[in-house]
Amino acid sequence: MKYALAVHGAPYASEAAAHALSFADALLAGGHSIERVFFFHDGVYQGLGAQVPPQDSFNVDTVKRWQHLAAQGVELGICIASGIKRGVVNEAEQTRYELQHPTLAPGFELVGLGQLIAAINNADRYVEFPA
Amino acid sequence: MKRYLFIISRSPYGSSHALEQLEAAMVAAVFDAKVAVLFRDEGAWCIQQHQAGAAIGQKTMTNVLAALSAYDVEELYVCADFLNTYQIQTEPTLNVMPIRLPEQRALISASDVVITAQP
């Protein structure tokens, strides 16, 4: 089956990413496909590129885990409206708003809310991981 | 086309939850989806009359809700229990239907997609 996933929780503030990542891994292992992972509300912080995970914790480098998912062809779409107001910007938005640095981690992209709806419309199942 | 239900469960100005949920609802409507919105828990405060968001530099929530009809989002529901608990006075220009828990259950069951973003 085709799945659309949404992540609404920020890193270290909720279990959203841990659950979504495990679920996504299980989907792919089970032969399902993922139409898109959409990051909405505080979930946009998942794509913040300047995160330094604690060295003494196991398996918490969620950015790397997301990027591993992206390397398998899963699209990681960050809501551009939710993202830029929280400081998650790519080079285009950094230039547009004259900010000092882009902050978006590689593997993620900024997309419109329409990409959430399009993913849900194309998918058989929509599963969200709340804050 | 899928039936969408957006559930708004947080107060209008305490976070951007409600506003971002409504933005998503409008986009779903632009995609020709059938869209309903349910206000429950502290989200019921979104429909309170006499709001003045400008006083704290924000958009007035009831004005945003009034714009939903321009997107053909006409199905607005509020949890009847929270309406009573908080003694909320509904903005009279909005057409919001109070519904009890069994009706909310039916509404959720009848929807293809439920977007909650609940804490």
Side-chain angles (χ1 to χ4, degrees):
Chain A
M1 269 200 267
K2 279 198 286 190
Y3 282 76
L5 308 185
V7 178
H8 296 154
Y12 309 106
S14 85
E15 291 291 294
H19 292 167
L21 282 161
S22 299
F23 188 71
D25 288 344
L27 285 180
L28 297 181
H32 300 285
S33 64
I34 300 171
E35 190 72 16
R36 175 175 291 116
V37 183
F38 191 84
F39 300 87
F40 195 27
H41 301 291
D42 284 351
V44 299
Y45 287 124
Q46 298 291 341
L48 192 60
Q51 298 176 48
V52 181
Q55 304 294 308
D56 58 350
S57 298
F58 174 69
N59 210 19
V60 291
D61 194 340
T62 49
V63 173
K64 277 219 177 77
R65 291 185 68 194
W66 287 123
Q67 289 168 336
H68 178 66
L69 209 55
Q72 297 171 79
V74 175
E75 194 184 305
L76 307 176
I78 291 192
C79 173
I80 188 166
S82 290
I84 65 172
K85 72 183 178 189
R86 289 174 172 86
V88 180
V89 293
N90 58 13
E91 281 179 18
E93 300 307 312
Q94 177 225 340
T95 306
R96 188 195 320 273
Y97 295 103
E98 300 177 354
L99 303 170
Q100 278 184 307
H101 309 288
T103 54
L104 186 69
F108 293 84
E109 54 185 312
L110 296 180
V111 298
L113 262 171
Q115 297 304 311
L116 168 65
I117 307 301
I120 293 172
N121 283 344
N122 290 335
D124 302 301
R125 292 279 186 275
Y126 166 68
V127 183
E128 65 180 25
F129 296 86
Chain B
M1 189 45 72
K2 293 183 178 178
R3 287 174 56 98
Y4 281 73
L5 173 64
F6 290 84
I7 298 180
I8 293 179
S9 54
R10 297 192 214 168
S11 61
Y13 307 103
S15 73
S16 59
H17 165 83
L19 204 55
E20 289 175 354
Q21 284 286 86
L22 290 172
E23 285 169 357
M26 290 176 192
V27 172
V30 168
F31 274 66
D32 288 333
K34 190 166 163 47
V35 176
V37 181
L38 168 64
F39 300 93
R40 52 171 289 113
D41 297 311
E42 292 202 357
W45 283 114
C46 289
I47 64 169
Q48 169 73 31
Q49 67 176 355
H50 302 318
Q51 293 181 35
I56 52 169
Q58 295 198 32
K59 289 180 193 168
T60 298
M61 180 56 67
T62 41
N63 292 350
V64 178
L65 296 177
L68 285 174
S69 62
Y71 290 82
D72 289 328
V73 179
E74 310 278 8
E75 271 188 77
L76 303 182
Y77 303 96
V78 63
C79 175
D81 297 322
F82 284 103
L83 211 55
N84 294 331
T85 302
Y86 298 131
Q87 289 293 298
I88 287 165
Q89 307 298 313
T90 306
E91 163 60 38
T93 56
L94 296 174
N95 187 15
V96 191
M97 186 185 292
I99 56 175
R100 305 294 302 269
L101 283 176
E103 296 162 287
Q104 292 175 40
R105 196 178 301 133
L107 179 65
I108 290 168
S109 297
S111 305
D112 298 306
V113 182
V114 181
I115 299 187
T116 64
Q118 275 180 312

